[in-house]
Amino acid sequence: MTATAEQQGRAAQLRAQIEQHNRAYYELDAPIIPDAEYDRLFRELQALEQAHPELLTADSPTRRVGGAPLAQFDPVRHAVPMLSIRTETDTEDSGALAFDARVRRELGLGEADPPLEYAAELKFDGLAISLRYENGMLVRAATRGDGETGEDVTQNVRTVGSIPLRLRGDAPAVLEVRGEIYMRRDDFEAFNARALAAGEKLLVNPRNGAAGSIRQLDPAVTRKRPLSFFAYGVGEIDGWTPPPTHSALLDALLAFGLPVCAERVVAHGADSLAAFHREVARRRMTLPFDIDGVVYKVNSLALQARLGFVSREPRWAVAHKYPAQEALTELLDIEIQVGRTGALTPVARLAPVFVGGVTVTNATLHNEDEIRRKDLRIGDTVIVRRAGDVIPEVVGAVAERRSGSERVFAMPEKCPVCGSHAVRGADEAVTRCSGGLFCAAQRKQALLHFASRRAMDIEGLGDKLVDQLVDNAVVGTPADLYKLGVAALAALDRMAEKSAANLLAAIEASKQTTLARFIFALGIRNVGERTAKDLARHFGSLDRLLAADPARLQQVPDVGPVVASSMAQFFAEPHNREVIEQLRAAGVRWEEGEAQASVSGRLAGKVFVLTGTLPTLSREQAGGLIEAAGGKVSGSVSKKTDFVVAGSEAGSKLEKAQQLGVSDHRRGGAAGPAGE
Ligand code: IVH
């Protein structure tokens, strides 16, 4: 049946598209579409050409294996062509069954004949390469190119550590080794982490990392890329008789010092091939590198020769692929998730897409900068990838598919959960909700912190209970804890009357506290226990603290701009002030003191560091005396340190103090106020 005009048009369109993608992938190292999408176009064209042979043109991309060589690399003619293998993507065992049946038919084997022996291997996802060794020395490395002519990438391949420059043992006059250059997933992650930190361009995925690195014109760039290599076959051989099977051939390559993947088996018959396929599928995610399938090869080299080739593919091998790990879908929206520390994380809502064996509907986008770097816009067609781990990732947008109606994402100015201001620190990648105690997403953590031993010390208020209280909307803020009654608690799961009573007693007891504990309990970012104590001592009263502006806050020893600004943000939230008032109204109380600025203690405002063994007092006792006199004890020496009290065997702190020119007071040493 001759092709319709429509089919002719479609074939021409597919050829043009595939050529464009070939160029983007092979020559520019900048793929526009995921492999699965490319494969789909390629298969559609193949099917059209098979059904209507008159559509097959001399320049059809189906007639060649890859892209033309880059002008800048010297062309290398392969003595033995680098062929492709037939690829099947069935998820069932039918791939193995069909392959075995076909091979047996070609060899004229009948039912009565024994099962055929196969070598089953992994299909590595990288870049095919041919290594030419002459008298054991690596003389040339070439890419596949169009299968007949590749590119001379010797300089780059020499930078791959696992590729021997000289073979071990009795090397043949000529040995061409065929294999795959790839990038391990951990190497890929580490490379990208470094690139991210250095503000450099990230690699899209391990496969592109491998392919792009080998095709760099500057070998110095390649050298920095962590590449690996596995041998899986041979090309030209001279002066050596290879062993009779493919599996033994790989063993021989291993003995020559070439890396050969250990994940391979000799299988007998179709069932055993299918079992290998299933087993590898199960373990695929735990392999240290990406594969896109398995490869079955007739093990006997003599039988391989008998089977020969059809068009450009050997009859003796087939690749059995796994479902794609990358797919295209639509970025429907970017939503904000509020984490337990208030971090606002943008999450991609995706049109459901089946990728790597699961349906993906969302993926984290990490932070604002990441979205900008990838230039993702709402409404974009995006590439979604499931890598070795299970977390799906949005690789990038297909800019060519934009209609113009896509929207640029902006981080919200308010927390989507509680409406508080969202704040991003100058040097931070993360935007945070400033809602603190009020924000539902942060409530549980805040409540646990509030109740913790060093804060309000409410015994018995553990995370299970907090989960229930918050999830059932019994408690929203710490102030609600003081409104709890027996009835509300008894309604909770596994809450016996006795424990309810104990909890209520602990809550009641917590009302009598200290200002320092209360400040710490509020859970203000960057305000730890020590800072809370300093603040309490410095201001003496909560109202004075609430009234302080950042400049005033920074008068407190050890309070710098970071702490001051997170406090200012916290107290600027009306919700936080409201909770504080409710707590006071519920009876939470402490003894207030004078503001330290007016404290007349002899050591007011002075910062001490105690080190070494003091002659008559323990360091804790000495610290207590200093604090009682209005001084402050710090754990480490800094420019704010006024005095170092050094006992015997004082070590590095004293040295540091001397470097900084701080006064010290030792027995028999220079006199300082602390000892007087
Ligand atoms: S054998 C004549 N074995 O898959 C047969 N190829 O089209 C030559 N590949 O890009 C290929 N792992 O680089 C073979 N264990 C393996 C392979 C493998 C990955 C790649 C090869 C080529 C494609 C085959």
Side-chain angles (χ1 to χ4, degrees):
M1 199 175 72
T2 49
T4 62
E6 199 183 326
Q7 286 167 328
Q8 279 177 28
R10 180 63 184 153
Q13 187 186 33
L14 285 168
R15 276 196 293 271
Q17 281 181 0
I18 292 166
E19 278 299 348
Q20 186 205 348
H21 293 310
N22 266 350
R23 227 180 81 75
Y25 185 94
Y26 283 104
E27 296 186 27
L28 309 175
D29 288 326
I32 323 174
I33 54 170
D35 278 7
E37 190 69 9
Y38 176 89
D39 285 352
R40 201 188 57 68
L41 296 175
F42 201 88
R43 278 199 302 274
E44 189 186 338
L45 180 58
Q46 262 182 331
L48 262 178
E49 289 172 344
Q50 251 155 36
H52 308 285
E54 76 275 17
L55 290 181
L56 182 61
T57 59
D59 66 351
S60 173
T62 59
R63 290 208 172 194
R64 53 178 181 164
V65 190
L70 283 176
Q72 297 92 326
F73 287 115
D74 285 342
V76 176
R77 218 181 146 74
H78 300 299
V80 175
M82 285 183 80
L83 301 172
S84 185
I85 30 180
R86 183 192 170 103
T87 299
E88 285 166 15
T89 328
D90 323 57
T91 46
E92 298 300 311
D93 300 340
S94 55
L97 293 175
F99 173 60
D100 182 53
R102 207 164 48 236
V103 170
R104 291 181 73 88
R105 198 174 52 241
E106 303 277 358
L107 291 174
L109 297 177
E111 303 248 326
D113 293 301
L116 269 173
E117 188 175 282
Y118 295 102
E121 305 167 359
L122 305 182
K123 187 170 188 299
F124 313 111
D125 203 6
L127 177 77
I129 208 92
S130 179
L131 308 174
R132 186 177 175 90
Y133 289 90
E134 291 179 3
N135 300 314
M137 301 294 289
L138 176 66
V139 294
R140 181 152 300 110
T143 62
R144 185 171 59 185
D146 65 3
E148 303 286 341
T149 306
E151 299 156 349
D152 187 335
V153 288
T154 314
Q155 286 307 316
N156 287 343
V157 167
R158 278 177 183 282
T159 70
V160 180
S162 62
I163 293 181
L165 298 181
R166 180 201 285 267
L167 295 182
R168 278 207 297 264
D170 228 354
V174 174
L175 175 60
E176 265 183 21
V177 178
R178 304 269 161 93
E180 197 90 350
I181 298 223
Y182 67 98
M183 196 176 275
R184 288 172 54 98
R185 285 200 281 257
D186 52 358
D187 285 337
F188 166 78
E189 299 291 348
F191 180 90
N192 268 358
R194 275 197 305 274
L196 189 67
E200 287 162 8
K201 226 179 125 192
L202 303 197
L203 301 174
V204 174
N205 58 40
R207 203 234 6 261
N208 284 313
S213 302
I214 286 301
R215 299 171 56 82
Q216 287 289 331
L217 285 169
D218 179 3
V221 175
T222 311
R223 195 169 327 122
K224 289 187 203 133
R225 306 278 174 87
L227 300 173
S228 303
F229 174 77
F230 277 138
Y232 57 60
V234 292
E236 190 184 357
I237 295 177
D238 187 19
W240 182 54
T241 308
T245 62
H246 180 77
S247 54
L249 175 67
L250 294 189
D251 292 340
L253 295 182
L254 193 61
F256 281 134
L258 290 151
V260 175
C261 182
E263 303 275 350
R264 57 192 171 105
V265 299
V266 172
H268 295 91
D271 291 347
S272 140
L273 287 178
F276 179 75
H277 181 266
R278 276 196 304 273
E279 171 61 12
V280 172
R282 198 176 62 74
R283 294 187 21 241
R284 180 183 184 192
M285 292 305 182
T286 63
L287 290 171
F289 46 81
D290 282 357
I291 58 168
D292 57 351
V294 291
V295 180
Y296 313 136
K297 297 170 183 174
V298 171
N299 205 22
S300 156
L301 300 188
L303 288 184
Q304 284 188 6
R306 242 175 81 188
L307 284 160
F309 301 86
V310 56
S311 71
R312 310 190 54 87
E313 296 168 346
R315 286 200 188 86
W316 46 264
V318 74
H320 197 170
K321 282 225 214 180
Y322 294 115
Q325 297 211 94
E326 280 184 1
L328 286 183
T329 191
E330 193 190 340
L331 177 57
L332 300 174
D333 204 355
I334 297 177
E335 289 173 8
I336 298 295
Q337 240 166 37
V338 186
R340 283 168 77 85
T341 59
L344 304 188
T345 306
V347 176
R349 295 286 170 235
L350 304 165
V353 61
F354 194 70
V355 46
V358 299
T359 301
V360 172
T361 52
N362 48 54
T364 175
L365 297 171
H366 304 291
N367 59 49
E368 201 178 358
D369 294 347
E370 184 78 0
I371 296 173
R372 195 152 308 138
R373 195 179 60 72
K374 291 180 176 167
D375 187 24
L376 301 178
R377 306 183 195 168
I378 297 163
D380 265 344
T381 298
V382 291
I383 301 173
V384 176
R385 174 181 164 80
R386 271 189 81 231
D389 43 44
V390 286
I391 305 161
E393 184 199 1
V394 177
V395 176
V398 184
E400 289 73 13
R401 293 226 181 154
R402 281 187 182 142
S403 66
S405 63
E406 294 76 16
R407 284 184 293 127
V408 172
F409 167 80
M411 209 63 184
E413 284 167 14
K414 296 210 163 135
C415 170
V417 173
C418 71
S420 300
H421 296 293
V423 185
R424 179 174 170 180
D427 299 327
E428 283 194 71
V430 181
T431 302
R432 286 176 203 276
C433 162
S434 60
L437 300 179
F438 180 76
C439 181
Q442 298 176 66
R443 239 173 252 166
K444 290 180 184 179
Q445 199 210 357
L447 283 168
L448 284 169
H449 172 78
F450 183 84
S452 65
R453 203 170 50 78
R454 290 165 165 281
M456 300 299 282
D457 192 18
I458 304 177
E459 212 188 311
L461 194 66
D463 48 8
K464 296 245 163 56
L465 194 51
V466 167
D467 278 351
Q468 281 198 69
L469 290 170
V470 173
D471 293 344
N472 297 332
V474 181
V475 169
T477 73
D480 296 338
L481 291 173
Y482 296 94
K483 298 173 196 154
L484 283 175
V486 186
L489 287 178
L492 301 176
D493 278 355
R494 277 177 303 197
M495 177 56 90
E497 211 171 290
K498 177 99 165 60
S499 30
N502 285 346
L503 180 64
L504 288 177
I507 292 173
E508 185 59 32
S510 75
K511 286 181 181 173
Q512 180 63 53
T513 186
T514 65
L515 178 56
R517 279 178 175 269
F518 183 78
I519 296 169
F520 176 56
L522 294 176
I524 305 165
R525 261 187 94 225
N526 301 313
V527 178
E529 201 183 357
R530 187 168 208 120
T531 307
K533 275 188 184 170
D534 290 349
L535 291 163
R537 188 167 335 109
H538 190 90
F539 290 101
S541 95
L542 184 64
D543 289 320
R544 270 196 293 273
L545 173 66
L546 291 177
D549 60 14
R552 180 82 181 77
L553 288 169
Q554 284 190 60
Q555 291 173 4
V556 179
D558 285 355
V559 171
V562 174
V563 177
S565 101
S566 53
M567 292 184 64
Q569 270 166 33
F570 184 90
F571 292 129
E573 263 327 312
H575 312 298
N576 291 336
R577 295 223 174 213
E578 211 169 286
V579 169
I580 290 170
E581 287 326 311
Q582 286 175 11
L583 286 167
R584 288 209 271 204
V588 174
R589 59 193 179 272
W590 53 85
E591 241 164 74
E592 300 225 321
E594 294 292 304
Q596 189 159 81
S598 62
V599 158
S600 56
R602 290 194 303 148
L603 305 183
K606 299 294 181 202
V607 179
F608 287 75
V609 172
L610 304 174
T611 181
T613 310
L614 304 175
T616 54
L617 297 173
S618 73
R619 284 210 298 271
E620 286 67 34
Q621 286 169 321
L625 291 176
I626 291 169
E627 286 180 350
K632 181 184 171 303
V633 178
S634 169
S636 58
V637 176
S638 74
K639 284 188 199 134
K640 288 192 175 177
T641 308
D642 294 297
F643 297 97
V644 171
V645 181
S648 58
E649 280 153 54
S652 61
K653 286 180 187 173
L654 180 57
E655 270 167 38
K656 182 161 183 209
Q658 283 162 344
Q659 280 163 17
L660 289 171
V662 177
S663 320
D664 70 306
H665 178 73
R666 274 169 295 178
R667 222 146 60 106
E676 288 165 358

